[in-house]
PDB file of all heavy atoms in Angstrom:
ATOM      1  N   GLU A   1       3.039 -26.227  -7.586  1.00  0.00           N
ATOM      2  CA  GLU A   1       1.713 -26.025  -7.908  1.00  0.00           C
ATOM      3  C   GLU A   1       1.526 -24.522  -8.325  1.00  0.00           C
ATOM      4  O   GLU A   1       1.987 -23.608  -7.669  1.00  0.00           O
ATOM      5  CB  GLU A   1       0.745 -26.458  -6.840  1.00  0.00           C
ATOM      6  CG  GLU A   1       0.760 -27.880  -6.402  1.00  0.00           C
ATOM      7  CD  GLU A   1       0.254 -28.772  -7.505  1.00  0.00           C
ATOM      8  OE1 GLU A   1      -0.599 -28.272  -8.231  1.00  0.00           O
ATOM      9  OE2 GLU A   1       0.652 -29.871  -7.505  1.00  0.00           O
ATOM     10  N   PRO A   2       0.688 -24.382  -9.321  1.00  0.00           N
ATOM     11  CA  PRO A   2       0.481 -22.897  -9.662  1.00  0.00           C
ATOM     12  C   PRO A   2      -0.343 -22.222  -8.526  1.00  0.00           C
ATOM     13  O   PRO A   2      -1.193 -22.680  -7.879  1.00  0.00           O
ATOM     14  CB  PRO A   2      -0.452 -22.973 -10.961  1.00  0.00           C
ATOM     15  CG  PRO A   2      -1.024 -24.307 -10.823  1.00  0.00           C
ATOM     16  CD  PRO A   2      -0.050 -25.204 -10.141  1.00  0.00           C
ATOM     17  N   ARG A   3       0.141 -20.994  -8.194  1.00  0.00           N
ATOM     18  CA  ARG A   3      -0.488 -20.067  -7.273  1.00  0.00           C
ATOM     19  C   ARG A   3      -1.844 -19.603  -7.584  1.00  0.00           C
ATOM     20  O   ARG A   3      -2.770 -19.446  -6.870  1.00  0.00           O
ATOM     21  CB  ARG A   3       0.403 -18.960  -6.780  1.00  0.00           C
ATOM     22  CG  ARG A   3       1.876 -19.316  -6.352  1.00  0.00           C
ATOM     23  CD  ARG A   3       1.713 -19.958  -5.018  1.00  0.00           C
ATOM     24  NE  ARG A   3       3.142 -20.496  -4.668  1.00  0.00           N
ATOM     25  CZ  ARG A   3       3.898 -19.835  -3.871  1.00  0.00           C
ATOM     26  NH1 ARG A   3       3.615 -18.520  -3.506  1.00  0.00           N
ATOM     27  NH2 ARG A   3       5.036 -20.258  -3.514  1.00  0.00           N
ATOM     28  N   GLU A   4      -2.045 -19.331  -8.961  1.00  0.00           N
ATOM     29  CA  GLU A   4      -3.255 -18.880  -9.580  1.00  0.00           C
ATOM     30  C   GLU A   4      -3.527 -19.661 -10.842  1.00  0.00           C
ATOM     31  O   GLU A   4      -2.491 -20.036 -11.528  1.00  0.00           O
ATOM     32  CB  GLU A   4      -3.201 -17.403  -9.804  1.00  0.00           C
ATOM     33  CG  GLU A   4      -3.043 -16.576  -8.549  1.00  0.00           C
ATOM     34  CD  GLU A   4      -3.060 -15.092  -8.790  1.00  0.00           C
ATOM     35  OE1 GLU A   4      -3.254 -14.701 -10.026  1.00  0.00           O
ATOM     36  OE2 GLU A   4      -2.810 -14.280  -7.826  1.00  0.00           O
ATOM     37  N   VAL A   5      -4.734 -19.868 -11.138  1.00  0.00           N
ATOM     38  CA  VAL A   5      -5.064 -20.357 -12.414  1.00  0.00           C
ATOM     39  C   VAL A   5      -4.663 -19.467 -13.566  1.00  0.00           C
ATOM     40  O   VAL A   5      -4.861 -18.248 -13.479  1.00  0.00           O
ATOM     41  CB  VAL A   5      -6.609 -20.695 -12.564  1.00  0.00           C
ATOM     42  CG1 VAL A   5      -6.947 -21.223 -13.945  1.00  0.00           C
ATOM     43  CG2 VAL A   5      -7.052 -21.718 -11.536  1.00  0.00           C
ATOM     44  N   PRO A   6      -3.873 -20.027 -14.489  1.00  0.00           N
ATOM     45  CA  PRO A   6      -3.441 -19.000 -15.788  1.00  0.00           C
ATOM     46  C   PRO A   6      -4.638 -18.392 -16.262  1.00  0.00           C
ATOM     47  O   PRO A   6      -5.759 -18.773 -16.445  1.00  0.00           O
ATOM     48  CB  PRO A   6      -2.769 -19.934 -16.701  1.00  0.00           C
ATOM     49  CG  PRO A   6      -2.391 -21.229 -15.918  1.00  0.00           C
ATOM     50  CD  PRO A   6      -3.474 -21.433 -14.735  1.00  0.00           C
ATOM     51  N   ARG A   7      -4.417 -16.984 -16.650  1.00  0.00           N
ATOM     52  CA  ARG A   7      -5.466 -16.249 -17.261  1.00  0.00           C
ATOM     53  C   ARG A   7      -5.500 -16.662 -18.745  1.00  0.00           C
ATOM     54  O   ARG A   7      -6.776 -16.631 -19.313  1.00  0.00           O
ATOM     55  CB  ARG A   7      -5.118 -14.784 -17.209  1.00  0.00           C
ATOM     56  CG  ARG A   7      -4.987 -14.166 -15.821  1.00  0.00           C
ATOM     57  CD  ARG A   7      -5.132 -12.521 -15.881  1.00  0.00           C
ATOM     58  NE  ARG A   7      -4.037 -12.183 -16.805  1.00  0.00           N
ATOM     59  CZ  ARG A   7      -4.103 -10.843 -17.321  1.00  0.00           C
ATOM     60  NH1 ARG A   7      -4.998 -10.090 -17.132  1.00  0.00           N
ATOM     61  NH2 ARG A   7      -3.010 -10.446 -18.143  1.00  0.00           N
ATOM     62  N   GLY A   8      -4.515 -17.086 -19.372  1.00  0.00           N
ATOM     63  CA  GLY A   8      -4.582 -17.300 -20.723  1.00  0.00           C
ATOM     64  C   GLY A   8      -5.186 -18.745 -20.985  1.00  0.00           C
ATOM     65  O   GLY A   8      -5.042 -19.703 -20.270  1.00  0.00           O
ATOM     66  N   GLY A   9      -5.742 -18.903 -22.228  1.00  0.00           N
ATOM     67  CA  GLY A   9      -6.393 -20.064 -22.580  1.00  0.00           C
ATOM     68  C   GLY A   9      -5.419 -21.256 -22.544  1.00  0.00           C
ATOM     69  O   GLY A   9      -5.798 -22.349 -22.359  1.00  0.00           O
ATOM     70  N   PHE A  10      -4.300 -21.097 -23.212  1.00  0.00           N
ATOM     71  CA  PHE A  10      -3.270 -22.229 -23.418  1.00  0.00           C
ATOM     72  C   PHE A  10      -2.883 -22.749 -22.010  1.00  0.00           C
ATOM     73  O   PHE A  10      -2.742 -23.967 -21.886  1.00  0.00           O
ATOM     74  CB  PHE A  10      -2.087 -21.654 -24.206  1.00  0.00           C
ATOM     75  CG  PHE A  10      -1.079 -22.729 -24.560  1.00  0.00           C
ATOM     76  CD1 PHE A  10      -1.425 -23.909 -25.222  1.00  0.00           C
ATOM     77  CD2 PHE A  10       0.167 -22.686 -23.988  1.00  0.00           C
ATOM     78  CE1 PHE A  10      -0.472 -24.835 -25.484  1.00  0.00           C
ATOM     79  CE2 PHE A  10       1.147 -23.753 -24.328  1.00  0.00           C
ATOM     80  CZ  PHE A  10       0.837 -24.743 -24.924  1.00  0.00           C
ATOM     81  N   GLY A  11      -2.530 -21.855 -21.126  1.00  0.00           N
ATOM     82  CA  GLY A  11      -2.158 -22.325 -19.821  1.00  0.00           C
ATOM     83  C   GLY A  11      -3.259 -22.986 -19.212  1.00  0.00           C
ATOM     84  O   GLY A  11      -2.959 -24.167 -18.443  1.00  0.00           O
ATOM     85  N   ARG A  12      -4.495 -22.594 -19.259  1.00  0.00           N
ATOM     86  CA  ARG A  12      -5.615 -23.410 -18.683  1.00  0.00           C
ATOM     87  C   ARG A  12      -5.761 -24.807 -19.465  1.00  0.00           C
ATOM     88  O   ARG A  12      -6.027 -25.824 -18.656  1.00  0.00           O
ATOM     89  CB  ARG A  12      -6.856 -22.621 -18.680  1.00  0.00           C
ATOM     90  CG  ARG A  12      -6.916 -21.404 -17.899  1.00  0.00           C
ATOM     91  CD  ARG A  12      -8.274 -20.739 -17.690  1.00  0.00           C
ATOM     92  NE  ARG A  12      -8.953 -20.512 -18.969  1.00  0.00           N
ATOM     93  CZ  ARG A  12      -8.852 -19.289 -19.537  1.00  0.00           C
ATOM     94  NH1 ARG A  12      -8.187 -18.332 -19.105  1.00  0.00           N
ATOM     95  NH2 ARG A  12      -9.629 -19.187 -20.713  1.00  0.00           N
ATOM     96  N   ASP A  13      -5.668 -24.749 -20.721  1.00  0.00           N
ATOM     97  CA  ASP A  13      -5.645 -26.036 -21.483  1.00  0.00           C
ATOM     98  C   ASP A  13      -4.616 -27.027 -20.971  1.00  0.00           C
ATOM     99  O   ASP A  13      -4.839 -28.161 -20.819  1.00  0.00           O
ATOM    100  CB  ASP A  13      -5.493 -25.833 -23.018  1.00  0.00           C
ATOM    101  CG  ASP A  13      -6.730 -25.121 -23.524  1.00  0.00           C
ATOM    102  OD1 ASP A  13      -7.806 -24.983 -22.877  1.00  0.00           O
ATOM    103  OD2 ASP A  13      -6.586 -24.651 -24.752  1.00  0.00           O
ATOM    104  N   ILE A  14      -3.367 -26.479 -20.709  1.00  0.00           N
ATOM    105  CA  ILE A  14      -2.239 -27.376 -20.246  1.00  0.00           C
ATOM    106  C   ILE A  14      -2.640 -27.971 -18.892  1.00  0.00           C
ATOM    107  O   ILE A  14      -2.276 -29.291 -18.659  1.00  0.00           O
ATOM    108  CB  ILE A  14      -0.947 -26.524 -20.163  1.00  0.00           C
ATOM    109  CG1 ILE A  14      -0.516 -26.240 -21.679  1.00  0.00           C
ATOM    110  CG2 ILE A  14       0.182 -27.358 -19.424  1.00  0.00           C
ATOM    111  CD1 ILE A  14      -0.015 -27.451 -22.477  1.00  0.00           C
ATOM    112  N   LEU A  15      -3.261 -27.235 -17.926  1.00  0.00           N
ATOM    113  CA  LEU A  15      -3.579 -27.795 -16.684  1.00  0.00           C
ATOM    114  C   LEU A  15      -4.577 -28.895 -16.900  1.00  0.00           C
ATOM    115  O   LEU A  15      -4.550 -29.924 -16.278  1.00  0.00           O
ATOM    116  CB  LEU A  15      -4.181 -26.706 -15.821  1.00  0.00           C
ATOM    117  CG  LEU A  15      -3.120 -25.720 -15.268  1.00  0.00           C
ATOM    118  CD1 LEU A  15      -3.892 -24.751 -14.391  1.00  0.00           C
ATOM    119  CD2 LEU A  15      -1.991 -26.411 -14.488  1.00  0.00           C
ATOM    120  N   ASP A  16      -5.624 -28.767 -17.808  1.00  0.00           N
ATOM    121  CA  ASP A  16      -6.555 -29.794 -18.002  1.00  0.00           C
ATOM    122  C   ASP A  16      -5.908 -31.045 -18.615  1.00  0.00           C
ATOM    123  O   ASP A  16      -6.132 -32.157 -18.309  1.00  0.00           O
ATOM    124  CB  ASP A  16      -7.610 -29.209 -18.943  1.00  0.00           C
ATOM    125  CG  ASP A  16      -8.604 -28.297 -18.245  1.00  0.00           C
ATOM    126  OD1 ASP A  16      -8.731 -28.180 -17.070  1.00  0.00           O
ATOM    127  OD2 ASP A  16      -9.325 -27.449 -18.966  1.00  0.00           O
ATOM    128  N   ILE A  17      -5.010 -30.770 -19.614  1.00  0.00           N
ATOM    129  CA  ILE A  17      -4.347 -31.876 -20.308  1.00  0.00           C
ATOM    130  C   ILE A  17      -3.582 -32.757 -19.408  1.00  0.00           C
ATOM    131  O   ILE A  17      -3.683 -34.010 -19.347  1.00  0.00           O
ATOM    132  CB  ILE A  17      -3.455 -31.448 -21.446  1.00  0.00           C
ATOM    133  CG1 ILE A  17      -4.328 -30.833 -22.599  1.00  0.00           C
ATOM    134  CG2 ILE A  17      -2.465 -32.390 -21.856  1.00  0.00           C
ATOM    135  CD1 ILE A  17      -3.546 -30.043 -23.603  1.00  0.00           C
ATOM    136  N   GLU A  18      -2.842 -32.174 -18.505  1.00  0.00           N
ATOM    137  CA  GLU A  18      -1.908 -32.815 -17.574  1.00  0.00           C
ATOM    138  C   GLU A  18      -2.826 -33.566 -16.533  1.00  0.00           C
ATOM    139  O   GLU A  18      -2.392 -34.647 -15.987  1.00  0.00           O
ATOM    140  CB  GLU A  18      -0.939 -31.895 -16.715  1.00  0.00           C
ATOM    141  CG  GLU A  18       0.126 -31.393 -17.679  1.00  0.00           C
ATOM    142  CD  GLU A  18       1.425 -30.865 -16.885  1.00  0.00           C
ATOM    143  OE1 GLU A  18       1.358 -31.006 -15.654  1.00  0.00           O
ATOM    144  OE2 GLU A  18       2.263 -30.400 -17.542  1.00  0.00           O
ATOM    145  N   GLY A  19      -4.015 -33.015 -16.159  1.00  0.00           N
ATOM    146  CA  GLY A  19      -4.858 -33.698 -15.199  1.00  0.00           C
ATOM    147  C   GLY A  19      -5.420 -34.980 -15.885  1.00  0.00           C
ATOM    148  O   GLY A  19      -5.512 -35.959 -15.206  1.00  0.00           O
ATOM    149  N   TYR A  20      -5.752 -34.897 -17.093  1.00  0.00           N
ATOM    150  CA  TYR A  20      -6.218 -36.101 -17.829  1.00  0.00           C
ATOM    151  C   TYR A  20      -5.083 -37.213 -17.946  1.00  0.00           C
ATOM    152  O   TYR A  20      -5.445 -38.382 -17.894  1.00  0.00           O
ATOM    153  CB  TYR A  20      -6.781 -35.766 -19.212  1.00  0.00           C
ATOM    154  CG  TYR A  20      -8.056 -34.915 -19.149  1.00  0.00           C
ATOM    155  CD1 TYR A  20      -8.188 -33.684 -20.044  1.00  0.00           C
ATOM    156  CD2 TYR A  20      -8.929 -35.157 -18.278  1.00  0.00           C
ATOM    157  CE1 TYR A  20      -9.199 -33.063 -19.962  1.00  0.00           C
ATOM    158  CE2 TYR A  20     -10.118 -34.343 -18.230  1.00  0.00           C
ATOM    159  CZ  TYR A  20     -10.351 -33.379 -19.058  1.00  0.00           C
ATOM    160  OH  TYR A  20     -11.381 -32.456 -18.991  1.00  0.00           O
ATOM    161  N   VAL A  21      -3.928 -36.680 -18.159  1.00  0.00           N
ATOM    162  CA  VAL A  21      -2.718 -37.705 -18.207  1.00  0.00           C
ATOM    163  C   VAL A  21      -2.608 -38.411 -16.800  1.00  0.00           C
ATOM    164  O   VAL A  21      -2.269 -39.567 -16.908  1.00  0.00           O
ATOM    165  CB  VAL A  21      -1.421 -36.926 -18.668  1.00  0.00           C
ATOM    166  CG1 VAL A  21      -0.219 -37.915 -18.611  1.00  0.00           C
ATOM    167  CG2 VAL A  21      -1.564 -36.524 -20.190  1.00  0.00           C
ATOM    168  N   ARG A  22      -2.638 -37.600 -15.788  1.00  0.00           N
ATOM    169  CA  ARG A  22      -2.621 -38.243 -14.457  1.00  0.00           C
ATOM    170  C   ARG A  22      -3.648 -39.347 -14.318  1.00  0.00           C
ATOM    171  O   ARG A  22      -3.355 -40.414 -13.722  1.00  0.00           O
ATOM    172  CB  ARG A  22      -2.710 -37.240 -13.349  1.00  0.00           C
ATOM    173  CG  ARG A  22      -1.459 -36.230 -13.232  1.00  0.00           C
ATOM    174  CD  ARG A  22      -1.505 -35.439 -11.887  1.00  0.00           C
ATOM    175  NE  ARG A  22      -2.580 -34.495 -11.966  1.00  0.00           N
ATOM    176  CZ  ARG A  22      -2.435 -33.267 -12.436  1.00  0.00           C
ATOM    177  NH1 ARG A  22      -1.338 -32.880 -12.945  1.00  0.00           N
ATOM    178  NH2 ARG A  22      -3.475 -32.492 -12.471  1.00  0.00           N
ATOM    179  N   GLY A  23      -4.817 -39.114 -14.736  1.00  0.00           N
ATOM    180  CA  GLY A  23      -5.906 -40.072 -14.760  1.00  0.00           C
ATOM    181  C   GLY A  23      -5.529 -41.313 -15.588  1.00  0.00           C
ATOM    182  O   GLY A  23      -5.731 -42.487 -15.163  1.00  0.00           O
ATOM    183  N   PHE A  24      -4.958 -41.112 -16.698  1.00  0.00           N
ATOM    184  CA  PHE A  24      -4.505 -42.228 -17.524  1.00  0.00           C
ATOM    185  C   PHE A  24      -3.505 -43.065 -16.903  1.00  0.00           C
ATOM    186  O   PHE A  24      -3.451 -44.307 -16.989  1.00  0.00           O
ATOM    187  CB  PHE A  24      -4.044 -41.646 -18.891  1.00  0.00           C
ATOM    188  CG  PHE A  24      -3.409 -42.686 -19.847  1.00  0.00           C
ATOM    189  CD1 PHE A  24      -4.293 -43.537 -20.621  1.00  0.00           C
ATOM    190  CD2 PHE A  24      -2.076 -42.811 -19.890  1.00  0.00           C
ATOM    191  CE1 PHE A  24      -3.773 -44.494 -21.548  1.00  0.00           C
ATOM    192  CE2 PHE A  24      -1.563 -43.926 -20.676  1.00  0.00           C
ATOM    193  CZ  PHE A  24      -2.313 -44.589 -21.538  1.00  0.00           C
ATOM    194  N   ARG A  25      -2.577 -42.350 -16.149  1.00  0.00           N
ATOM    195  CA  ARG A  25      -1.513 -43.094 -15.524  1.00  0.00           C
ATOM    196  C   ARG A  25      -2.087 -43.965 -14.557  1.00  0.00           C
ATOM    197  O   ARG A  25      -1.671 -45.187 -14.340  1.00  0.00           O
ATOM    198  CB  ARG A  25      -0.471 -42.177 -14.852  1.00  0.00           C
ATOM    199  CG  ARG A  25       0.430 -41.476 -15.811  1.00  0.00           C
ATOM    200  CD  ARG A  25       1.217 -40.436 -15.128  1.00  0.00           C
ATOM    201  NE  ARG A  25       2.421 -40.002 -15.904  1.00  0.00           N
ATOM    202  CZ  ARG A  25       2.981 -38.754 -15.762  1.00  0.00           C
ATOM    203  NH1 ARG A  25       2.461 -37.945 -14.809  1.00  0.00           N
ATOM    204  NH2 ARG A  25       3.982 -38.305 -16.454  1.00  0.00           N
ATOM    205  N   ARG A  26      -3.090 -43.632 -13.720  1.00  0.00           N
ATOM    206  CA  ARG A  26      -3.793 -44.451 -12.780  1.00  0.00           C
ATOM    207  C   ARG A  26      -4.481 -45.668 -13.447  1.00  0.00           C
ATOM    208  O   ARG A  26      -4.399 -46.791 -12.975  1.00  0.00           O
ATOM    209  CB  ARG A  26      -4.751 -43.794 -11.971  1.00  0.00           C
ATOM    210  CG  ARG A  26      -4.119 -42.643 -11.101  1.00  0.00           C
ATOM    211  CD  ARG A  26      -5.095 -42.044 -10.075  1.00  0.00           C
ATOM    212  NE  ARG A  26      -6.041 -41.382 -10.709  1.00  0.00           N
ATOM    213  CZ  ARG A  26      -6.157 -39.962 -10.975  1.00  0.00           C
ATOM    214  NH1 ARG A  26      -4.983 -39.373 -10.566  1.00  0.00           N
ATOM    215  NH2 ARG A  26      -7.005 -39.352 -11.562  1.00  0.00           N
ATOM    216  N   ARG A  27      -5.110 -45.467 -14.662  1.00  0.00           N
ATOM    217  CA  ARG A  27      -5.824 -46.489 -15.316  1.00  0.00           C
ATOM    218  C   ARG A  27      -4.936 -47.561 -16.116  1.00  0.00           C
ATOM    219  O   ARG A  27      -5.219 -48.669 -16.269  1.00  0.00           O
ATOM    220  CB  ARG A  27      -6.846 -45.818 -16.274  1.00  0.00           C
ATOM    221  CG  ARG A  27      -7.941 -45.205 -15.567  1.00  0.00           C
ATOM    222  CD  ARG A  27      -9.019 -44.788 -16.499  1.00  0.00           C
ATOM    223  NE  ARG A  27      -8.518 -43.770 -17.541  1.00  0.00           N
ATOM    224  CZ  ARG A  27      -8.424 -42.440 -17.553  1.00  0.00           C
ATOM    225  NH1 ARG A  27      -9.001 -41.853 -16.383  1.00  0.00           N
ATOM    226  NH2 ARG A  27      -7.980 -41.662 -18.474  1.00  0.00           N
ATOM    227  N   ARG A  28      -3.790 -46.963 -16.492  1.00  0.00           N
ATOM    228  CA  ARG A  28      -2.808 -47.831 -17.290  1.00  0.00           C
ATOM    229  C   ARG A  28      -1.452 -47.649 -16.852  1.00  0.00           C
ATOM    230  O   ARG A  28      -0.549 -47.128 -17.357  1.00  0.00           O
ATOM    231  CB  ARG A  28      -2.796 -47.435 -18.780  1.00  0.00           C
ATOM    232  CG  ARG A  28      -4.027 -47.699 -19.559  1.00  0.00           C
ATOM    233  CD  ARG A  28      -4.244 -49.303 -19.839  1.00  0.00           C
ATOM    234  NE  ARG A  28      -3.032 -49.867 -20.343  1.00  0.00           N
ATOM    235  CZ  ARG A  28      -2.891 -50.046 -21.787  1.00  0.00           C
ATOM    236  NH1 ARG A  28      -3.879 -49.582 -22.561  1.00  0.00           N
ATOM    237  NH2 ARG A  28      -1.813 -50.587 -22.328  1.00  0.00           N
ATOM    238  N   PRO A  29      -1.216 -48.247 -15.547  1.00  0.00           N
ATOM    239  CA  PRO A  29       0.111 -48.187 -14.960  1.00  0.00           C
ATOM    240  C   PRO A  29       1.147 -48.951 -15.689  1.00  0.00           C
ATOM    241  O   PRO A  29       2.378 -48.863 -15.498  1.00  0.00           O
ATOM    242  CB  PRO A  29      -0.049 -48.840 -13.624  1.00  0.00           C
ATOM    243  CG  PRO A  29      -1.250 -49.755 -13.668  1.00  0.00           C
ATOM    244  CD  PRO A  29      -2.199 -49.026 -14.692  1.00  0.00           C
ATOM    245  N   ASP A  30       0.723 -49.850 -16.696  1.00  0.00           N
ATOM    246  CA  ASP A  30       1.726 -50.573 -17.446  1.00  0.00           C
ATOM    247  C   ASP A  30       2.370 -49.759 -18.594  1.00  0.00           C
ATOM    248  O   ASP A  30       3.259 -50.176 -19.258  1.00  0.00           O
ATOM    249  CB  ASP A  30       1.000 -51.812 -18.114  1.00  0.00           C
ATOM    250  CG  ASP A  30      -0.153 -51.303 -18.935  1.00  0.00           C
ATOM    251  OD1 ASP A  30      -1.033 -50.591 -18.429  1.00  0.00           O
ATOM    252  OD2 ASP A  30      -0.221 -51.750 -20.123  1.00  0.00           O
ATOM    253  N   VAL A  31       1.762 -48.589 -18.902  1.00  0.00           N
ATOM    254  CA  VAL A  31       2.302 -47.653 -19.925  1.00  0.00           C
ATOM    255  C   VAL A  31       3.255 -46.592 -19.269  1.00  0.00           C
ATOM    256  O   VAL A  31       2.888 -46.025 -18.391  1.00  0.00           O
ATOM    257  CB  VAL A  31       1.160 -46.912 -20.583  1.00  0.00           C
ATOM    258  CG1 VAL A  31       1.654 -45.941 -21.664  1.00  0.00           C
ATOM    259  CG2 VAL A  31       0.230 -47.964 -21.354  1.00  0.00           C
ATOM    260  N   THR A  32       4.392 -46.442 -19.852  1.00  0.00           N
ATOM    261  CA  THR A  32       5.348 -45.299 -19.393  1.00  0.00           C
ATOM    262  C   THR A  32       4.864 -44.104 -20.079  1.00  0.00           C
ATOM    263  O   THR A  32       4.834 -43.850 -21.244  1.00  0.00           O
ATOM    264  CB  THR A  32       6.745 -45.731 -19.955  1.00  0.00           C
ATOM    265  OG1 THR A  32       7.248 -46.976 -19.316  1.00  0.00           O
ATOM    266  CG2 THR A  32       7.638 -44.498 -19.649  1.00  0.00           C
ATOM    267  N   ALA A  33       4.488 -43.181 -19.155  1.00  0.00           N
ATOM    268  CA  ALA A  33       3.864 -41.940 -19.549  1.00  0.00           C
ATOM    269  C   ALA A  33       4.913 -40.709 -19.210  1.00  0.00           C
ATOM    270  O   ALA A  33       5.348 -40.635 -18.110  1.00  0.00           O
ATOM    271  CB  ALA A  33       2.609 -41.513 -18.919  1.00  0.00           C
ATOM    272  N   THR A  34       5.250 -39.950 -20.247  1.00  0.00           N
ATOM    273  CA  THR A  34       6.273 -38.981 -20.124  1.00  0.00           C
ATOM    274  C   THR A  34       5.624 -37.577 -20.503  1.00  0.00           C
ATOM    275  O   THR A  34       4.999 -37.547 -21.581  1.00  0.00           O
ATOM    276  CB  THR A  34       7.462 -39.175 -21.023  1.00  0.00           C
ATOM    277  OG1 THR A  34       8.104 -40.461 -20.725  1.00  0.00           O
ATOM    278  CG2 THR A  34       8.487 -38.104 -20.792  1.00  0.00           C
ATOM    279  N   VAL A  35       5.645 -36.621 -19.514  1.00  0.00           N
ATOM    280  CA  VAL A  35       5.070 -35.293 -19.791  1.00  0.00           C
ATOM    281  C   VAL A  35       6.301 -34.353 -19.862  1.00  0.00           C
ATOM    282  O   VAL A  35       7.036 -34.280 -18.954  1.00  0.00           O
ATOM    283  CB  VAL A  35       4.063 -34.924 -18.760  1.00  0.00           C
ATOM    284  CG1 VAL A  35       3.574 -33.481 -19.022  1.00  0.00           C
ATOM    285  CG2 VAL A  35       2.849 -35.887 -18.742  1.00  0.00           C
ATOM    286  N   LEU A  36       6.326 -33.641 -21.045  1.00  0.00           N
ATOM    287  CA  LEU A  36       7.440 -32.706 -21.230  1.00  0.00           C
ATOM    288  C   LEU A  36       7.032 -31.224 -21.168  1.00  0.00           C
ATOM    289  O   LEU A  36       6.141 -30.912 -22.095  1.00  0.00           O
ATOM    290  CB  LEU A  36       8.134 -33.012 -22.524  1.00  0.00           C
ATOM    291  CG  LEU A  36       8.629 -34.357 -22.649  1.00  0.00           C
ATOM    292  CD1 LEU A  36       9.209 -34.630 -24.105  1.00  0.00           C
ATOM    293  CD2 LEU A  36       9.875 -34.652 -21.687  1.00  0.00           C
ATOM    294  N   ARG A  37       7.375 -30.477 -20.121  1.00  0.00           N
ATOM    295  CA  ARG A  37       6.939 -29.069 -20.004  1.00  0.00           C
ATOM    296  C   ARG A  37       7.937 -28.207 -20.685  1.00  0.00           C
ATOM    297  O   ARG A  37       9.021 -27.917 -20.061  1.00  0.00           O
ATOM    298  CB  ARG A  37       6.747 -28.757 -18.502  1.00  0.00           C
ATOM    299  CG  ARG A  37       5.556 -29.353 -17.930  1.00  0.00           C
ATOM    300  CD  ARG A  37       5.503 -29.057 -16.448  1.00  0.00           C
ATOM    301  NE  ARG A  37       4.316 -29.629 -15.782  1.00  0.00           N
ATOM    302  CZ  ARG A  37       4.234 -29.758 -14.398  1.00  0.00           C
ATOM    303  NH1 ARG A  37       5.189 -29.351 -13.579  1.00  0.00           N
ATOM    304  NH2 ARG A  37       3.173 -30.294 -13.944  1.00  0.00           N
ATOM    305  N   PHE A  38       7.718 -27.908 -21.980  1.00  0.00           N
ATOM    306  CA  PHE A  38       8.662 -27.053 -22.638  1.00  0.00           C
ATOM    307  C   PHE A  38       8.585 -25.518 -22.347  1.00  0.00           C
ATOM    308  O   PHE A  38       7.498 -24.937 -22.363  1.00  0.00           O
ATOM    309  CB  PHE A  38       8.496 -27.209 -24.123  1.00  0.00           C
ATOM    310  CG  PHE A  38       8.821 -28.620 -24.740  1.00  0.00           C
ATOM    311  CD1 PHE A  38       7.876 -29.558 -25.064  1.00  0.00           C
ATOM    312  CD2 PHE A  38      10.132 -28.961 -24.805  1.00  0.00           C
ATOM    313  CE1 PHE A  38       8.187 -30.813 -25.475  1.00  0.00           C
ATOM    314  CE2 PHE A  38      10.614 -30.189 -25.366  1.00  0.00           C
ATOM    315  CZ  PHE A  38       9.559 -31.129 -25.632  1.00  0.00           C
ATOM    316  N   ALA A  39       9.809 -24.870 -22.160  1.00  0.00           N
ATOM    317  CA  ALA A  39       9.884 -23.542 -22.297  1.00  0.00           C
ATOM    318  C   ALA A  39       9.532 -23.058 -23.691  1.00  0.00           C
ATOM    319  O   ALA A  39       9.509 -23.792 -24.708  1.00  0.00           O
ATOM    320  CB  ALA A  39      11.149 -22.974 -21.813  1.00  0.00           C
ATOM    321  N   PRO A  40       9.339 -21.761 -24.046  1.00  0.00           N
ATOM    322  CA  PRO A  40       8.979 -21.374 -25.295  1.00  0.00           C
ATOM    323  C   PRO A  40      10.159 -21.718 -26.169  1.00  0.00           C
ATOM    324  O   PRO A  40      11.375 -21.552 -25.908  1.00  0.00           O
ATOM    325  CB  PRO A  40       8.941 -19.734 -25.248  1.00  0.00           C
ATOM    326  CG  PRO A  40       8.580 -19.566 -23.780  1.00  0.00           C
ATOM    327  CD  PRO A  40       9.092 -20.711 -23.030  1.00  0.00           C
TER     328      PRO A  40
END
């Protein structure tokens, strides 16, 4: 887990995006959801 919320906008956006995907997984467990955390 991140120790601090990212200062940059992209990092904060990524946290929000992954949170929404976790919610989607709960609502649609029949869908295989893959999240890829790419390095630069």
Side-chain angles (χ1 to χ4, degrees):
E1 295 291 334
R3 303 291 178 88
E4 295 181 7
V5 176
R7 293 195 308 161
F10 182 61
R12 294 198 301 272
D13 289 351
I14 288 297
L15 290 182
D16 289 340
I17 288 168
E18 289 202 6
Y20 295 136
V21 174
R22 286 193 294 271
F24 175 82
R25 282 172 169 156
R26 292 191 294 269
R27 294 188 297 271
R28 289 291 304 269
D30 58 310
V31 175
T32 298
T34 303
V35 174
L36 301 172
R37 292 175 178 164
F38 288 106

